[in-house]
Amino acid sequence: MTRMAITLTASLITIATATAAMAAPVPPVAVTVETGKPGARIDRHIFGQFAEHLGTGIYDGVWVGRDSQIPNVRGIRTDVVTALKAIHVPDVRWPGGCYADDYHWRKAIGDPSKRPITVNYLWGRVPESNQFGTHEYFDFLDQIGSEAYVSGNVGSGTPQEMSDWLEYMTADPAISTLGAERAANGHPAPFKVPFFGVGNESWGCGGSMTPEHYADVYRNYATFARNYDNAQQLPNGDYDPNGMKRISSGPNVDDYHWTEVRMEASTHQIFSWSLDGLSLHFYSGFDQWPPSNSADSFGEDQYAHVIRSALKMEDLVSKHSAIMDKYDPNKRVMLVVDEWGAWYLPAPGSNPRFLQQQNSQRDAVLAAVTLNIFARHADRVRMANIAQMVNVLQSMILTSGDKMVLTPTYYLFKLYVPFQDATFLPVDYDAGSYVHGDVTLPRLDVMAAKGTDSKTYVSLTNVDPTQPLAVDLSAMGFKARTATGQTLTAPKMDSTNTFDHPDTVTPRPVAAKVGRDGKLVLTLAPESVTVVEVE
Ligand code: AHR
């Protein structure tokens, strides 16, 4: 900053202080939580992650190999596992993304030294060593305490290949040669596969299909996508793949026709279990494709446009849900937002096909307002997967060699752990407006829930990057006396954590007590997310 700018800033502060002295104090925004009107359960699976064979998302990010100098357990890096355990990752979607429809599972099982090297065509035409395959994925899930969401290959695979993979993963070795092969490869017990995706983006990289064509293809593949471990016979003699939810490739952003066709087709499917989830993909961070915003060097203009882009999620979820309601009024089928997050310009000097980008405080705000939308639609949105877990797009973690840094988005997910499987509580408040140029956004975004520990948790996001905001939390359906928790804020709107400065954006404790005026006032820093337990 130049000296002239400093002088100008100092004068502005003087003017602002004088104006503030003259103006009446702004009363805190009253937030009322309806603790007596519990809503839907906020499924922990909306906090799911997505890890694709893309760039350094798996290799370097998760897998370093058994002989690596980087501390690891059976090839999986220990620092990343420790960090992920702390955010209670409910599920990891793998191996893609677009890569899923290029993936042939047999190439990545058995003796690692005999696995072929294949080309990851889509993501940079780089060699894929196949060292991280089915067994390594399940080992990783075990290490972080998470569940599987496996994406099957529809685009370049057959129903038989998909069915064989599931038999390999889930069948009893005593009754299946594929199950016995899995046992010989080191895992006698069936792997648990609670979620299975039948193709990915089948309208695009997954096969460029029309929704009408895909609806038929889906029914074909889904019929043979069997979970041999969980299969149970129903009273009517059918086999219910109890526990394994089949998820259909779904619409791209606002392709409502896709949802209409897919849901209509589900009404005349023979097996009710054939469709358990419909996937929705929506990336934000840009107004027009291709993304042109910087991840870590921007001003208020870009900040406001990016948050506005993320808030489109509300409209998308509402409209896709309304179509689903027509065909599935009991909301049996989940809307699974299994790719979401901000997509910016690639990090300078990186391979553009590796989709590597930094992550700033803005991304923490973006994640908070998005997760709040999912929570408000918890009756239909019961699963979501941020893209992606490590080193790709809006990641939790960045690695480089033996170095690791946790991003603001990671800390946001950590703050939100109490909301996993919590019960949604309606909230009443005047959000006000944050206006910048042609962008008007709600200034305050609040979400509340009763945790599995029966405590009342409230998330408060001050979207305004320029002004603090006071809120009064005394009306919780009970007379609240204290609010304690953590706040995520940053020195600048584009602050990031780097390998050299890993703690620029980290949560700090906050606490407030009810005053003599009966108000429980918390002041939210500009562009911050605060999660408190209110008692
Ligand atoms: O997340 C990156 C890519 O974005 C995924 O592979 C694909 O499904 C989507 O288009």
Side-chain angles (χ1 to χ4, degrees), residues 242-263:
N242 170 42
M244 189 175 90
K245 306 250 181 259
R246 290 174 179 72
I247 297 162
S248 163
S249 178
N252 181 30
V253 192
D254 56 357
D255 184 353
Y256 300 113
H257 177 63
W258 185 283
T259 301
E260 191 83 49
V261 171
R262 205 48 217 89
M263 290 305 296

Side-chain angles (χ1 to χ4, degrees), residues 145-480:
S146 192
E147 290 186 291
Y149 175 9
V150 176
S151 294
N153 181 344
V154 168
S156 68
T158 60
Q160 177 165 11
E161 184 186 13
M162 183 179 278
S163 178
D164 283 353
W165 192 14
L166 275 162
E167 186 175 337
Y168 178 85
M169 289 189 280
T170 63
D172 180 348
I175 60 162
S176 154
T177 302
L178 283 167
E181 189 181 355
R182 182 196 66 243
N185 285 334
H187 208 278
F191 292 124
K192 300 282 174 207
V193 185
F195 303 101
F196 191 79
V198 183
N200 168 75
E201 297 196 350
S202 301
W203 41 265
C205 64
S208 299
M209 298 179 220
T210 62
E212 290 79 6
H213 180 62
Y214 173 73
D216 277 347
V217 168
Y218 177 88
R219 287 190 297 195
N220 181 1
Y221 278 70
T223 306
F224 299 101
R226 301 165 173 142
N227 187 324
Y228 290 77
D229 180 32
N230 292 324
Q232 286 184 353
Q233 202 154 15
L234 297 170
N236 69 1
D238 282 351
Y239 280 97
D240 178 5
N242 170 42
M244 189 175 90
K245 306 250 181 259
R246 290 174 179 72
I247 297 162
S248 163
S249 178
N252 181 30
V253 192
D254 56 357
D255 184 353
Y256 300 113
H257 177 63
W258 185 283
T259 301
E260 191 83 49
V261 171
R262 205 48 217 89
M263 290 305 296
E264 198 278 333
S266 74
T267 60
H268 36 88
Q269 65 198 8
I270 293 178
F271 305 113
S272 64
W273 44 257
S274 291
L275 179 72
D276 299 298
L278 181 71
S279 137
L280 164 65
H281 288 184
F282 171 56
Y283 287 97
S284 57
F286 51 88
D287 288 330
Q288 269 190 330
W289 190 262
S292 56
N293 287 327
S294 164
D296 57 358
S297 174
F298 53 86
E300 193 174 349
D301 219 33
Q302 220 198 75
Y303 169 86
H305 278 86
V306 164
I307 300 298
R308 182 175 69 179
S309 75
L311 289 170
K312 283 185 198 149
M313 185 68 89
E314 170 60 41
D315 199 44
L316 295 172
V317 166
S318 298
K319 289 184 176 155
H320 286 294
S321 295
I323 296 169
M324 293 174 81
D325 286 349
K326 278 201 295 178
Y327 301 99
D328 175 36
N330 295 327
K331 300 185 194 288
R332 197 188 67 78
V333 180
M334 313 180 280
L335 183 57
V336 177
V337 191
D338 54 15
E339 287 189 30
W340 68 272
W343 194 319
Y344 304 121
L345 286 172
S350 66
N351 181 334
R353 296 302 286 170
F354 282 15
L355 310 185
Q356 208 174 309
Q357 64 189 38
Q358 246 296 1
N359 194 292
S360 73
Q361 172 69 9
R362 176 182 62 186
D363 295 305
V365 171
L366 186 151
V369 298
T370 305
L371 290 167
N372 293 352
I373 292 168
F374 297 157
R376 289 183 196 110
H377 292 272
D379 55 350
R380 182 65 84 177
V381 181
R382 300 201 289 276
M383 190 169 193
N385 301 76
I386 189 168
Q388 300 192 5
M389 191 166 61
V390 188
N391 290 337
V392 178
L393 298 174
Q394 188 176 347
S395 60
M396 305 292 117
I397 295 174
L398 300 171
T399 65
S400 175
D402 64 351
K403 288 182 270 182
M404 179 191 83
V405 68
L406 306 175
T407 67
T409 302
Y410 171 89
Y411 287 115
L412 187 279
F413 270 68
K414 199 165 179 199
L415 283 189
Y416 267 51
V417 166
F419 294 115
Q420 294 200 11
D421 285 337
T423 304
F424 180 80
L425 297 171
V427 192
D428 190 36
Y429 60 101
D430 176 1
S433 299
Y434 156 61
V435 183
H436 179 77
D438 63 339
V439 179
T440 301
L441 305 173
R443 186 177 44 162
L444 176 65
D445 195 327
V446 185
M447 190 268 287
K450 186 174 193 165
T452 51
D453 55 6
S454 295
K455 293 175 176 171
T456 303
Y457 292 95
V458 184
S459 163
L460 303 134
T461 302
N462 179 6
V463 173
D464 188 335
T466 64
Q467 302 292 326
L469 180 64
V471 289
D472 170 20
L473 296 175
S474 54
M476 293 285 120
F478 55 90
K479 187 71 196 127

